[in-house]
Amino acid sequence: MEPFKPIDNMKLSFNHIKVWYTAGMGFFTDAYDLFIIGAILDVFNANHLPGFELTPLYTGLLASSAIFTAIFGQLIFGTLGDLIGRKTVYGVEASLLTAGAALSAISPNIIWLIIFRSIMGIGIGGDYPISATIMSEYANVKDRGKLVALVFANQGIGSVVAVAVGAISAFTLPPDLAWRVMAFIGAIPAATVIYLRRKVPETARYSALKGDKQGIQKSLEFISKSSENGFKDKNESGVEVVKDNVNNVANVKIVRPRITEFLSKYWLLLLGTAGTWFLVDIALYGTGIYSGPIVTSILGKPSSVGLEIVDAGIPFMVGFFGYFTAVALMDRLGRKPIQTLGFVMMALLYSVISLVLVTAGTKVTGFLIPATSAFALYVLSYFFIDFGPNTTTFVIPSEVYPTGYRTTGHGISAAAGKTGAAISTFYFGSLLSSIGIKGILELLAVLSVIGAVLTIIAIKEPKHRSLEEVSQDTVIVEQQAQNSE
């Protein structure tokens, strides 16, 4: 059964692109912040600015405060998105994100900077389940993976812009102004979509969950604008009429299962989506925020903060191509193969790099291959992180859970990821001191193998299947109960 066939079979339209832009700008800021906070820490370490003197505690809190509060944002907004609607909360998270980033730039001291970054983190977290689900529920089946991945690929753009802003600011501005410019730029993209988010209608699927026929019609009219096939035909007299299958959509109702039923039916899937996201974010955020020290341990200490930011940004620029390779192949190869391949290649690359490192205690003293070759292998790991599980762990939860728990399932999975990110960010610095880069790479290789195994066991493939089919939603049409399983 295909209750939402008019949406599922639509050709790609301008409004799909509009939803992509509206949904994607928050992820620009998310990735921008992942790199830029490392650059800001470099500025603070090099210049000892009054009011922003770093201690190990402040360093850990600055690097991880937005990540910790993002966990709450993901859980809170994920729950609200299913209880009161995607549209009801859409735009609130972008407002928090924008305010937090902008206020960070005018922080009078390090305490206020931590507080404002915490506010930004709540907005970043809330953006995950709501934006992913809105894009997924508005997308057609053929392009759904591509469109949801494209929302997340704004992280790639954010990373590249962060490298450029960080380097230019460090090279051209006084330190006290440079870090403030770095912090403020992240607020701009999210600010441009607050109004647009408030204007996006509720999705047809959530309206069907609430039995809101008018809401279903508004959603269909919104997404059909600028579409070649649209939702209207002309009758024999040349008068436009709504297609019959569109009228049928208004009679669709989705049944929300009880929480106990949801947990008993989807627990393994939830373990898969949450567990794999937890594992990949340990690698992504630990190596991301501490990219500078890692790259320095391979290439040596550069002559300036600006050059250190550029060197640390090279892996992110390679990762940029990983995001868009995933976009191109998501609906061809499928989510599960891409995620498995990504984890396997991460494990392989981390293992090889650790094997070629020569260490004395925790200090890197040399390599069995040229240092530039070792660095190239490390940089390549970013391509496979972003091509593989960093993108697919975002896409899959927006498709595999039933409508009544879709933002909740995505929020729980994303919160698990950010928990891994928070743990990694908070302890990565001390691990560098205690076990060194070699030990960290060996640990990440083991975690990547676990991620590949968990993907194979617990994740199902949503490619080219309707949301109702893959999520096993219970759907009622014209008063007759049917199950789409």
Side-chain angles (χ1 to χ4, degrees):
M1 184 176 65
E2 299 178 80
F4 294 96
K5 188 174 181 179
I7 295 175
D8 290 342
N9 290 356
M10 273 189 69
K11 292 182 180 180
L12 194 64
S13 72
F14 171 77
N15 270 3
H16 285 121
I17 304 305
K18 183 178 177 181
V19 173
W20 159 73
Y21 172 78
T22 303
M25 286 301 101
F27 297 98
F28 174 103
T29 301
D30 183 23
Y32 177 91
D33 179 70
L34 170 62
F35 178 83
I36 214 67
I37 188 56
I40 290 172
L41 287 171
D42 288 340
V43 172
F44 288 170
N45 276 316
N47 296 280
H48 306 289
L49 302 174
F52 296 91
E53 296 87 356
L54 291 178
T55 65
L57 176 62
Y58 284 154
T59 299
L61 288 175
L62 269 181
S64 61
S65 57
I67 298 173
F68 277 112
T69 54
I71 296 170
F72 294 102
Q74 287 159 335
L75 293 173
I76 292 168
F77 280 84
T79 302
L80 291 176
D82 283 330
L83 291 180
I84 63 176
R86 290 75 158 122
K87 175 180 171 55
T88 305
V89 297
Y90 207 36
V92 176
E93 74 301 311
S95 301
L96 289 170
L97 195 164
T98 300
L103 289 170
S104 293
I106 58 173
S107 300
N109 55 51
I110 200 166
I111 299 297
W112 279 106
L113 179 57
I114 292 169
I115 292 171
F116 291 143
R117 283 182 53 75
S118 298
I119 294 172
M120 180 185 68
I122 295 173
I124 287 175
D127 202 27
Y128 273 73
I130 305 301
S131 287
T133 298
I134 283 179
M135 186 74 262
S136 179
E137 292 184 345
Y138 268 117
N140 57 350
V141 167
K142 179 183 175 183
D143 300 302
R144 189 178 64 234
K146 181 192 297 105
L147 287 168
V148 180
L150 200 57
V151 167
F152 197 65
N154 280 280
Q155 282 201 345
I157 301 171
S159 296
V160 172
V161 172
V163 174
V165 170
I168 292 170
S169 299
F171 278 126
T172 63
L173 298 173
D176 189 49
L177 180 59
W179 78 263
R180 295 180 188 277
V181 170
M182 294 179 198
F184 181 77
I185 295 296
I188 297 173
T192 66
V193 297
I194 295 172
Y195 174 77
L196 292 175
R197 289 187 175 194
R198 297 307 302 159
K199 299 298 288 183
V200 173
E202 186 57 83
T203 68
R205 287 174 164 95
Y206 188 81
S207 296
L209 181 72
K210 294 299 182 180
D212 181 3
K213 293 186 178 183
Q214 187 177 6
I216 294 174
Q217 195 63 42
K218 284 183 179 179
S219 174
L220 294 174
E221 290 173 357
F222 169 75
I223 201 61
S224 68
K225 292 176 182 177
S226 303
S227 171
E228 290 182 13
N229 55 340
F231 292 140
K232 291 185 178 181
D233 277 331
K234 289 185 178 180
N235 62 16
E236 295 177 356
S237 303
V239 178
E240 280 192 341
V241 294
V242 177
K243 294 178 181 179
D244 288 340
N245 58 1
V246 175
N247 286 323
N248 290 339
V249 175
N251 296 320
V252 171
K253 183 169 177 59
I254 296 174
V255 178
R256 177 187 173 97
R258 294 187 298 273
I259 184 65
T260 52
E261 182 183 349
F262 169 72
L263 292 174
S264 65
K265 189 174 182 179
Y266 296 92
W267 70 268
L268 180 61
L269 184 59
L270 194 58
L271 176 65
T273 58
T276 53
W277 208 333
F278 174 83
L279 293 169
V280 71
D281 273 7
I282 288 177
L284 176 69
Y285 280 78
T287 60
I289 289 179
Y290 291 93
S291 181
I294 294 172
V295 172
T296 297
S297 71
I298 299 174
L299 297 181
K301 185 73 174 177
S303 59
S304 70
V305 173
L307 288 175
E308 185 174 355
I309 291 172
V310 171
D311 286 349
I314 292 173
F316 288 85
M317 290 186 278
V318 172
F320 170 86
F321 295 99
Y323 285 107
F324 288 93
T325 303
V327 169
L329 297 179
M330 192 65 64
D331 290 308
R332 296 183 184 183
L333 298 182
R335 293 62 154 156
K336 188 171 181 176
I338 288 175
Q339 182 161 305
T340 305
L341 175 62
F343 272 126
V344 169
M345 290 304 299
M346 287 164 60
L348 180 62
L349 288 166
Y350 291 142
S351 298
V352 171
I353 299 166
S354 68
L355 287 173
V356 302
L357 282 174
V358 179
T359 59
T362 60
K363 186 177 180 181
V364 177
T365 58
F367 302 89
L368 299 178
I369 61 175
T372 52
S373 297
F375 180 62
L377 290 173
Y378 174 71
V379 166
L380 191 58
S381 72
Y382 273 68
F383 175 88
F384 283 103
I385 288 176
D386 292 332
F387 162 68
N390 188 34
T391 297
T392 52
T393 52
F394 176 82
V395 174
I396 293 169
S398 72
E399 302 176 293
V400 295
Y401 293 111
T403 304
Y405 292 94
R406 188 163 291 137
T407 58
T408 301
H410 198 286
I412 292 171
S413 302
K418 280 292 192 283
T419 301
I423 292 170
S424 180
T425 302
F426 199 75
Y427 290 108
F428 205 90
S430 60
L431 286 174
L432 277 173
S433 301
S434 60
I435 65 175
I437 184 64
K438 185 181 181 75
I440 286 175
L441 289 172
E442 290 169 345
L443 175 62
L444 293 181
V446 172
L447 294 178
S448 298
V449 171
I450 296 172
V453 172
L454 190 56
T455 299
I456 293 169
I457 293 174
I459 298 297
K460 56 184 177 180
E461 178 57 62
K463 181 182 75 170
H464 296 163
R465 300 165 68 190
S466 72
L467 293 178
E468 289 64 48
E469 178 187 359
V470 72
S471 69
Q472 300 180 328
D473 248 333
T474 300
V475 179
I476 297 173
V477 181
E478 297 181 339
Q479 308 303 315
Q480 294 182 351
Q482 302 181 44
N483 195 296
S484 60
E485 293 183 47

